[in-house]
Amino acid sequence: MPANPSPACPICGRPSQPATRPFCSPRCRAVDLGRWLGGTYAVPGEPETPEDRDAE
Ligand SMILES: [Zn+2]
């Protein structure tokens, strides 16, 4: 009864994948996770990297 195979990815709206559902890809999952952790909208692609300069 595959009437509703997979819910849409809440991030981009694409069909979710079993491995990463309810998201369509690890990237979207990371984006959602970033929202929870950072409380801000993370940019899909690369995580924010705070300036980690060499402090003494
Ligand atoms: Zn997605």
Side-chain angles (χ1 to χ4, degrees):
M1 47 262 173
N4 205 1
S6 51
C9 172
I11 303 299
C12 68
R14 289 182 178 180
S16 63
Q17 299 299 321
T20 56
R21 69 178 180 180
F23 308 102
C24 71
S25 63
R27 177 182 296 182
C28 283
R29 185 171 56 184
V31 172
D32 186 76
L33 189 64
R35 290 182 181 180
W36 284 102
L37 295 180
T40 53
Y41 291 95
V43 179
E46 291 186 4
E48 276 189 51
T49 49
E51 282 196 29
D52 199 4
R53 61 186 182 184
D54 288 21
E56 292 169 43

